[in-house]
Amino acid sequence: MAATLVRQSGSEELPAPAYVVLGMIRLGCRSGYEIKQAVEISIRFFWTISHAQIYPSLALLEERGLVRGRDEPRGRRRRRVFDISERGEQELERWLRQAQPIPFELRDIGLVKLFFADALPEDDALRLVRAVAERSRERVETLRSVEAEAEQVEQDGNVYPMLTLRIGIAFHQAMVNACREFEAR
Amino acid sequence: MAATLVRQSGSEELPAPAYVVLGMIRLGCRSGYEIKQAVEISIRFFWTISHAQIYPSLALLEERGLVRGRDEPRGRRRRRVFDISERGEQELERWLRQAQPIPFELRDIGLVKLFFADALPEDDALRLVRAVAERSRERVETLRSVEAEAEQVEQDGNVYPMLTLRIGIAFHQAMVNACREFEAR
DNA sequence: GGTAACATGTAAGCGGTTACATGATTAG
DNA sequence: CTAATCATGTAACCGCTTACATGTTACC
């Protein structure tokens, strides 16, 4: 019985998507819609989130007092906006500091196919190598196209988005290079 | 009614895990247990699979005639071994050749935390950078430790496992470098 | 005598996506 | 006028992991 009360007190760890939503609100996103857009142009290449996760997360965060929400319609179009509370800031920091094991989860059918490519005639296999390289080349291009925005964010005092962007560019470039080297063997 | 018959004819695309299992059998894995082990030392860093997926996949592949299975107990310990059929080889090749869009799915809570790290005091944020770098450094080490095995596989005529290994090493090394550069800024 | 490794299978639960559902505003 | 964008929410489904379940053999 007491355990039940403790569980209901709302002090447990939130699911990961809620922290993503909380972090985006801290960075100035106001509505669920804005959070979705921000994710698409910033952390999309290492984290995705659908609006079916965002809206329940916002409700949960508000319930826990980590964000404050209020209705702020644009004309007759409904809209609910949020800002982070003091407790929200604290909880975000706690989560960021928390040294949990951070597994690197990559799930890439392209690399799986490449791994098995010896089953193919050479020219088909090489086509696969080029497809994997091309995909990363495009990704590098996409990431480079948001560099200017990241620089703006950097000048506003948030320097870490630029770091994750550089990491993304670096490792897709590394994939391109590894494929090129193989092709040129 | 006719549509149902077509669906039951067994000619549809299999789930991805089944192709992974099929590919591993082609490379010489005999039992479900061996497949699990092979995945852990080879494609683990870009694809995982649990035995709860492997055994049903094997049953499906056998049902479709893509692998042949037979009981081959070791002493009184039961054991079911498989080999790939002609149709299995063809279906694997078809799947490998098939130019489907190959989305790169990375899901990394470590990079998410890094992205939000401006919410932390500088020393805590730098600790995070080091944690992310350290994780990739360890991964590079792990991957390097299977290089010898990949060379063996290469000499046996399968050259692509070595390519995916080099890609893995290259992009984790790229992450380490990007973090080091940031720290030294 | 006990733990680790060998070996296979099923069931329940969870986290996530897709689809369903609705409606207002803006730009062409 | 109509398509795209803004904006929020729920329900069904799916793939995967974890846990449950069982038994053997090798090694210390």
Side-chain angles (χ1 to χ4, degrees), chain A residues 17 47-53 74-77:
Chain A
W47 198 268
T48 60
I49 191 165
S50 67
H51 78 267
Q53 286 174 286
R74 287 281 176 88
R76 301 160 70 198
R77 186 192 281 160

Side-chain angles (χ1 to χ4, degrees), chain B residues 74-174:
Chain B
R74 288 282 177 86
R76 301 161 69 198
R77 186 191 280 159
R78 73 165 165 175
R79 181 155 158 277
R80 194 163 171 80
V81 297
F82 300 85
D83 56 28
I84 193 166
S85 68
E86 190 51 43
R87 287 187 49 207
E89 300 263 14
Q90 282 165 17
E91 176 58 14
L92 181 62
E93 282 189 46
R94 191 202 60 75
W95 178 73
L96 289 173
R97 249 190 290 258
Q98 184 199 153
Q100 60 189 349
I102 36 173
F104 183 85
E105 292 164 59
L106 174 59
R107 216 176 158 67
D108 188 351
I109 210 72
L111 288 179
V112 170
K113 285 192 175 186
L114 209 52
F115 178 83
F116 291 128
D118 291 290
L120 291 175
E122 206 178 346
D123 55 333
D124 284 323
L126 286 174
R127 235 189 300 278
L128 243 181
V129 177
R130 269 177 245 119
V132 168
E134 176 59 13
R135 183 186 59 166
S136 280
R137 202 196 50 73
E138 279 169 21
R139 189 57 67 101
V140 169
E141 241 176 50
T142 306
L143 291 172
R144 287 218 184 279
S145 75
V146 294
E147 257 183 326
E149 266 156 292
E151 252 155 46
Q152 195 51 58
V153 171
E154 200 172 27
Q155 270 150 31
D156 296 346
N158 290 300
V159 303
Y160 285 93
M162 182 58 103
L163 173 60
T164 54
L165 182 60
R166 295 226 185 284
I167 289 175
I169 292 171
F171 85 52
H172 278 291
Q173 192 59 56

Side-chain angles (χ1 to χ4, degrees), chain B residues 17 48 50 52-53 76-77:
Chain B
T48 59
S50 67
Q53 285 175 286
R76 301 161 69 198
R77 186 191 280 159

Side-chain angles (χ1 to χ4, degrees), chain A residues 98-105, chain B residues 108-110 113 135:
Chain A
Q98 184 198 152
Q100 60 190 347
I102 37 174
F104 182 86
E105 291 164 60
Chain B
D108 188 351
I109 210 72
K113 285 192 175 186
R135 183 186 59 166

